[in-house]
Amino acid sequence: MYEPKMKLTQPQLSILRGEQGETKQKMLETIVRFGDIFNAPRLVKVTHKKGHLVTSFGINLLKPLYKTMSEINAENIKAVGGFTADPRPIDYVNVKCNILEKLVFSKIMYGKQTFYEEQLRQAGLSHKNAFTCTPYLKEVGNIPKEGDVASWAESSAVVFANSVLGARINRNSGMIDLFGTLLGYVPYFGLLTDEGRKASWKVIIKTSKLPEAQVLGSAIGMRVNDEVPYIIGLDKFLGNVINDDVEGYLKDFGAATASNGAIGLYHIDNLTPEAKKLGDSLINEGARQYVIDDEELDKIYKAYPIMWKHKDKPANLVFIGCPHLTLTQLRNWSKNIIQGLKETGRKKVAVRTILTTSPMVFELFKRETLYTEIISKGVRISSICPLMYTNNPLTNRRRILTNSNKFRTYSRARYMVDADILNCVIGR
Ligand code: F3S
């Protein structure tokens, strides 16, 4: 038996000895070894029982994942509170592909998708369409409470839950998220502890207007890396209430901090729950300082590389919504595109445009007249992950534009701020 460094309770030791079956034993050993690497003194209970899995795609190469899932299914081990998962990689209805692309997706890349989704269902997937990276939105309903401990891995969801909801979640990896959810234990270290939630960076915003969420997040992520920033001066623009607009802003900001750096938690003075309660007592003595003004953000925006083969040619595909758009964002983008097309006198968008959102938000939006109107302009709405769609040599050759700094970081897509993307979409 593995000799743990951390202290385990009798029920945990019983699992580790294999008294509840070999599969649980292997899962717990993985969790304990993971915690031991970080010198976690013990395991703690997962209080938010609903998991969220980062591994949502049935990519052929992930053979060990399917084997582990088969063992979990064979022993009928299920997540007591169910779980959601990241977006699906394909949607042939709303994101059309040619025959060759379909062949690559269905046979070579994601040939195990149906098989894997059945494995997920047996392990406790909450709903056949529970695939989104925004599980924490009210339409999806996987919402940890303040102080809740959860076992998630999707970086954009972890940073949102920690920062905006006040939950306590480490940036785990795929499989660790699943094992923690199924067993109901995670190692106690990092962002689960009071000490780990303190800021070692003080970021002071001195811009003339509300910064673009994704550029600000990128700037802070690149400077702060995996530490915790305490951000001062942003409440001047965002106010001190997390309403629908602010929620969307923080979602996009956080995703950029987590992907352009490795931030798992940020505090915003007078806005996010812990900052409101504890104020600058959250800032560690000797914290480093980073001042952000218009010039700094402009410099960062201009430095993003353009990875297209033909840089001077226009985009031929636009993805908006990584992480998935909130309902308010989906409505705003639709209204802005429709209004912009009136101004440019065009009947349809100038470039193929796809807005991505969760299946639950999509369903609600379909009931609105705005949906019919935006679809009539040639825009498509989908619940896929644009990155998974792009992650192959065929689609990767496209000249893709996005307003997501996460998508830009992990693909050849070109980033533009919202206003510039809108101009491309409406042909201005
Ligand atoms: Fe979500 Fe995929 Fe972007 S998981 S955050 S849409 S890369």
Side-chain angles (χ1 to χ4, degrees):
M1 186 182 102
Y2 173 66
E3 279 302 324
K5 280 202 284 176
M6 68 172 70
K7 204 167 159 28
L8 297 179
T9 62
Q10 281 311 318
Q12 291 160 358
L13 280 168
S14 144
I15 300 175
L16 196 62
R17 283 195 294 264
E19 288 163 15
Q20 294 187 30
E22 195 191 342
T23 306
K24 280 196 178 177
Q25 182 269 321
K26 285 196 282 191
M27 289 197 294
L28 192 78
E29 184 176 324
T30 308
I31 292 274
V32 171
R33 282 180 185 267
F34 175 63
D36 278 348
I37 291 170
F38 291 96
N39 293 318
R42 61 182 190 279
L43 298 179
V44 288
K45 283 194 176 152
V46 169
T47 57
H48 178 69
K49 302 288 181 201
K50 201 160 189 167
H52 180 79
L53 306 192
V54 73
T55 321
S56 58
F57 41 90
I59 203 158
N60 283 336
L61 290 172
L62 286 179
K63 292 196 173 74
L65 170 67
Y66 309 126
K67 185 168 171 289
T68 308
M69 287 299 287
S70 296
E71 289 175 31
I72 289 166
N73 293 160
E75 292 202 25
N76 203 21
I77 301 169
K78 277 186 194 287
V80 284
F83 56 81
T84 48
D86 263 4
R88 288 181 167 121
I90 37 185
D91 170 8
Y92 293 141
V93 177
N94 300 299
V95 185
K96 294 240 180 321
C97 296
N98 62 35
I99 292 176
L100 188 59
E101 286 167 351
K102 272 190 186 170
L103 188 76
V104 170
F105 279 132
S106 298
K107 299 281 179 227
I108 301 168
M109 298 271 307
Y110 304 117
K112 288 278 187 190
Q113 191 64 30
T114 310
F115 171 79
Y116 180 52
E117 286 191 21
E118 174 54 23
Q119 290 191 319
L120 290 177
R121 189 193 64 74
Q122 286 183 40
L125 182 70
S126 303
H127 179 272
K128 71 175 171 30
N129 280 331
F131 291 97
T132 175
C133 46
T134 52
Y136 45 77
L137 295 180
K138 60 179 179 299
E139 295 84 3
V140 187
N142 186 355
I143 311 170
K145 295 189 301 298
E146 193 172 342
D148 261 345
V149 172
S151 182
W152 294 5
E154 165 52 48
S155 64
S156 65
V158 168
V159 73
F160 186 95
N162 276 323
S163 314
V164 184
L165 305 176
R168 296 194 166 215
I169 313 174
N170 277 319
R171 278 176 60 118
N172 299 302
S173 62
M175 304 294 276
I176 296 284
D177 55 2
L178 173 68
F179 296 168
T181 296
L182 293 175
L183 293 167
Y185 296 118
V186 284
Y188 182 68
F189 72 96
L191 298 175
L192 269 55
T193 68
D194 288 345
E195 210 39 50
R197 298 179 74 85
K198 291 219 168 152
S200 48
W201 279 89
K202 192 161 140 184
V203 178
I204 301 170
I205 309 295
K206 289 196 170 165
T207 54
S208 57
K209 59 181 186 344
L210 177 67
E212 194 86 7
Q214 300 255 8
V215 182
L216 180 65
S218 164
I220 297 176
M222 287 194 284
R223 181 62 65 96
V224 171
N225 197 15
D226 62 350
E227 297 178 49
V228 178
Y230 189 98
I231 301 154
I232 296 170
L234 199 54
D235 58 316
K236 187 169 91 188
F237 304 110
L238 291 177
N240 55 14
V241 175
I242 300 175
N243 58 26
D244 286 352
D245 286 331
V246 175
E247 180 183 60
Y249 185 96
L250 297 181
K251 164 184 75 76
D252 293 340
F253 164 75
T257 68
S259 55
N260 286 219
I263 290 177
L265 165 69
Y266 58 81
H267 301 294
I268 298 179
D269 198 38
N270 292 321
L271 181 62
T272 52
E274 279 153 286
K276 268 186 153 178
K277 244 186 245 164
L278 301 168
D280 58 11
S281 69
L282 279 168
I283 306 172
N284 278 332
E285 219 173 284
R288 280 152 294 171
Q289 190 162 301
Y290 179 29
V291 177
I292 296 182
D293 55 16
D294 295 337
E295 205 184 323
E296 171 75 353
L297 291 181
D298 197 44
K299 194 175 77 193
I300 285 170
Y301 182 40
K302 288 191 175 132
Y304 295 143
I306 303 169
M307 316 262 287
W308 296 350
K309 196 167 169 201
H310 302 289
K311 295 183 178 40
D312 44 343
K313 288 198 173 172
N316 47 23
L317 181 58
V318 173
F319 270 113
I320 297 166
C322 162
H324 280 168
L325 296 171
T326 65
L327 186 54
T328 302
Q329 288 179 320
L330 187 54
R331 286 176 180 146
N332 287 344
W333 271 106
S334 301
K335 285 180 199 160
N336 291 342
I337 292 171
I338 291 164
Q339 178 57 34
L341 289 174
K342 268 187 203 146
E343 287 163 19
T344 54
R346 298 182 70 100
K347 286 200 165 53
K348 301 236 177 203
V349 285
V351 51
R352 188 177 164 214
T353 301
I354 296 163
L355 306 179
T356 50
T357 191
S358 69
M360 298 76 186
V361 167
F362 192 2
E363 275 311 308
L364 289 175
F365 188 60
K366 269 185 190 165
R367 297 178 203 158
E368 302 185 5
T369 49
L370 194 53
Y371 168 72
T372 322
E373 212 180 330
I374 191 69
I375 291 295
S376 75
K377 305 296 179 199
V379 171
R380 289 292 168 263
I381 298 167
S382 171
S383 293
I384 61 165
C385 167
L387 180 61
M388 290 295 115
Y389 166 78
T390 315
N391 220 351
N392 75 75
L394 293 176
T395 48
N396 212 2
R397 282 206 299 254
R398 294 227 165 92
R399 293 185 301 280
I400 299 176
L401 266 189
T402 182
N403 68 339
S404 165
N405 230 325
K406 177 173 179 179
F407 187 27
R408 171 195 72 81
T409 304
Y410 297 134
S411 73
R412 286 170 187 265
R414 178 178 177 181
Y415 174 83
M416 275 191 184
V417 293
D418 289 354
D420 292 347
I421 290 248
L422 181 64
N423 282 338
C424 293
V425 171
I426 63 175
R428 182 145 52 202

